[in-house]
Amino acid sequence: MRMRQMQLEVGTDPKEVGRARGWARSRLARSGLAADEPLVETLVLLVSELVTNAVVHTGRPARLRVLLSDRLAAGRGTVRIEVADTCACPPLRRRAEDDDTGGRGLELVGALADRWGWRPEESGKRIWCELDRDAAAAGTDPAGGGSSPAAGAVPGETVLARTRSRPGVRTPGG
């Protein structure tokens, strides 16, 4: 399976999060995904959370990458979002209290993504998540099918969560 890759350099200003969302939405639209498709809305939210974590918690520039399976137009495949920064500190999942205004980003990523994780790199770390698009979930392929677990995983990555099935999305075993 071939993956198309797009990337955006993200600065340290919190306004960069909005720019990253707009960039991701436009790139997904150019790839043939409908703007009102639930997959697109989920992907944009995941971009927002991962970029916010990089900007707010490191205070350093980051690099956003979106990798799209060439099978997406056919109703299958995987979208992988990666955010790399130059901070070596591992991501920490926090347990936010009801009245906290922050601390839910990675919990949200874990709840929405089919897979997510992170890996250390020479100059920092890369946090990633993946969403699968399956023609069977859309009702166009009665034979089923789908992507394998950790479709874009790289040796040495830590997979932090596998989540339950979301409506309209098939996950392994879901």
Side-chain angles (χ1 to χ4, degrees):
M1 165 180 40
R2 289 186 354 205
M3 299 289 278
R4 184 167 28 139
Q5 173 182 309
M6 300 163 275
Q7 92 180 18
L8 174 70
E9 300 296 323
V10 180
T12 59
D13 186 330
K15 292 179 183 176
E16 290 285 280
V17 176
R19 186 172 75 90
R21 278 192 305 264
W23 176 86
R25 190 176 298 282
S26 70
R27 295 315 181 272
L28 293 167
R30 288 182 192 164
S31 298
L33 298 173
D36 61 348
E37 186 174 338
L39 178 72
V40 171
E41 293 301 321
T42 302
L43 287 165
V44 170
L45 180 55
L46 291 168
V47 163
S48 184
E49 292 302 324
L50 294 180
V51 171
T52 296
N53 283 348
V55 170
V56 170
H57 296 295
T58 71
R60 300 176 186 181
R63 177 175 294 127
L64 166 63
R65 286 190 341 159
V66 177
L67 294 95
L68 303 165
S69 165
D70 60 353
R71 300 184 310 169
L72 283 174
R76 326 177 158 254
T78 300
V79 179
R80 181 178 174 105
I81 300 166
E82 301 179 347
V83 176
D85 62 51
T86 59
C87 179
C89 297
L92 297 174
R93 288 176 83 166
R94 294 183 18 205
R95 183 134 176 93
E97 299 297 326
D98 289 344
D99 57 346
D100 288 345
T101 59
R104 294 176 180 83
L106 292 179
E107 288 297 322
L108 191 57
V109 171
L112 295 175
D114 291 310
R115 292 164 299 281
W116 75 282
W118 75 284
R119 73 172 187 256
E121 295 189 336
E122 188 175 311
S123 62
K125 68 180 168 302
R126 182 177 308 268
I127 301 175
W128 58 271
C129 64
E130 295 178 342
L131 281 176
D132 296 328
R133 184 180 198 197
D134 187 340
T140 59
D141 180 7
S147 298
S148 62
V154 173
E157 287 184 337
T158 301
V159 177
L160 297 175
R162 291 194 188 276
T163 59
R164 59 190 175 278
S165 180
R166 294 184 321 280
V169 177
R170 268 185 50 144
T171 57

